[in-house]
Short mmCIF file of all heavy atoms in Angstrom, two decimals:
data_model
loop_
_atom_site.label_atom_id
_atom_site.label_comp_id
_atom_site.label_asym_id
_atom_site.label_seq_id
_atom_site.Cartn_x
_atom_site.Cartn_y
_atom_site.Cartn_z
N ALA A 81 -8.60 31.65 -4.70
CA ALA A 81 -9.33 30.63 -5.43
C ALA A 81 -10.44 31.22 -6.30
O ALA A 81 -11.08 32.21 -5.93
CB ALA A 81 -9.93 29.63 -4.44
N ARG A 82 -10.61 30.61 -7.48
CA ARG A 82 -11.69 31.02 -8.40
C ARG A 82 -12.46 29.78 -8.85
O ARG A 82 -11.93 28.66 -8.79
CB ARG A 82 -11.09 31.70 -9.63
CG ARG A 82 -10.42 33.03 -9.35
CD ARG A 82 -10.49 33.92 -10.58
NE ARG A 82 -9.79 33.35 -11.71
CZ ARG A 82 -8.53 33.60 -12.00
NH1 ARG A 82 -7.84 34.42 -11.23
NH2 ARG A 82 -7.96 33.06 -13.04
N PRO A 83 -13.69 29.96 -9.31
CA PRO A 83 -14.46 28.80 -9.77
C PRO A 83 -13.74 27.98 -10.84
O PRO A 83 -13.93 26.76 -10.92
CB PRO A 83 -15.74 29.44 -10.33
CG PRO A 83 -15.93 30.66 -9.49
CD PRO A 83 -14.53 31.18 -9.25
N SER A 84 -12.90 28.61 -11.65
CA SER A 84 -12.16 27.87 -12.69
C SER A 84 -11.14 26.91 -12.09
O SER A 84 -10.61 26.04 -12.80
CB SER A 84 -11.45 28.85 -13.63
OG SER A 84 -10.52 29.65 -12.92
N HIS A 85 -10.85 27.05 -10.80
CA HIS A 85 -9.93 26.13 -10.13
C HIS A 85 -10.61 24.87 -9.65
O HIS A 85 -9.96 23.95 -9.16
CB HIS A 85 -9.26 26.82 -8.93
CG HIS A 85 -8.41 27.99 -9.32
ND1 HIS A 85 -8.40 29.17 -8.60
CD2 HIS A 85 -7.55 28.17 -10.35
CE1 HIS A 85 -7.55 30.02 -9.17
NE2 HIS A 85 -7.04 29.44 -10.23
N THR A 86 -11.93 24.79 -9.80
CA THR A 86 -12.66 23.59 -9.41
C THR A 86 -12.17 22.40 -10.21
O THR A 86 -12.22 22.41 -11.44
CB THR A 86 -14.17 23.80 -9.63
OG1 THR A 86 -14.63 24.82 -8.73
CG2 THR A 86 -14.94 22.52 -9.38
N SER A 87 -11.69 21.38 -9.50
CA SER A 87 -11.10 20.23 -10.18
C SER A 87 -10.66 19.22 -9.12
O SER A 87 -10.79 19.46 -7.92
CB SER A 87 -9.90 20.66 -11.02
OG SER A 87 -9.44 19.61 -11.83
N GLN A 88 -10.12 18.10 -9.59
CA GLN A 88 -9.48 17.16 -8.68
C GLN A 88 -7.97 17.33 -8.83
O GLN A 88 -7.45 17.43 -9.95
CB GLN A 88 -9.86 15.71 -8.97
CG GLN A 88 -9.06 14.72 -8.12
CD GLN A 88 -9.70 13.36 -7.98
OE1 GLN A 88 -10.20 13.01 -6.92
NE2 GLN A 88 -9.68 12.61 -9.07
N TYR A 89 -7.28 17.35 -7.70
CA TYR A 89 -5.82 17.52 -7.69
C TYR A 89 -5.20 16.24 -7.12
O TYR A 89 -5.51 15.82 -6.01
CB TYR A 89 -5.42 18.74 -6.87
CG TYR A 89 -5.90 20.03 -7.51
CD1 TYR A 89 -7.19 20.49 -7.31
CD2 TYR A 89 -5.06 20.76 -8.35
CE1 TYR A 89 -7.65 21.65 -7.92
CE2 TYR A 89 -5.50 21.93 -8.96
CZ TYR A 89 -6.81 22.36 -8.75
OH TYR A 89 -7.26 23.51 -9.36
N LEU A 90 -4.32 15.64 -7.92
CA LEU A 90 -3.68 14.38 -7.53
C LEU A 90 -2.19 14.62 -7.31
O LEU A 90 -1.52 15.20 -8.16
CB LEU A 90 -3.87 13.33 -8.62
CG LEU A 90 -5.28 12.79 -8.81
CD1 LEU A 90 -5.39 12.02 -10.11
CD2 LEU A 90 -5.66 11.89 -7.66
N CYS A 91 -1.69 14.13 -6.20
CA CYS A 91 -0.28 14.21 -5.88
C CYS A 91 0.34 12.82 -6.06
O CYS A 91 -0.32 11.80 -5.80
CB CYS A 91 -0.11 14.69 -4.44
SG CYS A 91 1.59 14.82 -3.89
N ALA A 92 1.58 12.77 -6.52
CA ALA A 92 2.27 11.49 -6.72
C ALA A 92 3.74 11.63 -6.37
O ALA A 92 4.28 12.75 -6.36
CB ALA A 92 2.11 11.02 -8.16
N SER A 93 4.37 10.50 -6.09
CA SER A 93 5.81 10.52 -5.84
C SER A 93 6.42 9.27 -6.45
O SER A 93 5.74 8.27 -6.66
CB SER A 93 6.10 10.58 -4.34
OG SER A 93 5.84 9.33 -3.72
N SER A 94 7.71 9.34 -6.74
CA SER A 94 8.43 8.18 -7.25
C SER A 94 9.88 8.27 -6.83
O SER A 94 10.41 9.35 -6.59
CB SER A 94 8.32 8.07 -8.77
OG SER A 94 8.95 9.17 -9.40
N GLU A 95 10.51 7.09 -6.77
CA GLU A 95 11.91 7.04 -6.39
C GLU A 95 12.78 7.70 -7.47
O GLU A 95 13.72 8.41 -7.18
CB GLU A 95 12.33 5.59 -6.18
CG GLU A 95 13.72 5.41 -5.63
CD GLU A 95 14.01 3.95 -5.33
OE1 GLU A 95 13.05 3.20 -5.08
OE2 GLU A 95 15.19 3.57 -5.37
N SER A 96 12.43 7.41 -8.71
CA SER A 96 13.06 8.09 -9.83
C SER A 96 12.00 8.23 -10.91
O SER A 96 10.90 7.68 -10.79
CB SER A 96 14.25 7.31 -10.36
OG SER A 96 13.82 6.22 -11.17
N VAL A 97 12.30 8.96 -11.96
CA VAL A 97 11.33 9.16 -13.03
C VAL A 97 10.98 7.83 -13.70
O VAL A 97 9.89 7.63 -14.20
CB VAL A 97 11.86 10.16 -14.08
CG1 VAL A 97 10.87 10.34 -15.20
CG2 VAL A 97 12.16 11.49 -13.42
#
Side-chain angles (χ1 to χ4, degrees):
Chain A
R82 293 209 298 267
S84 60
H85 296 138
T86 294
S87 189
Q88 173 159 252
Y89 294 83
L90 291 167
C91 179
S93 74
S94 65
E95 186 174 334
S96 78
V97 179

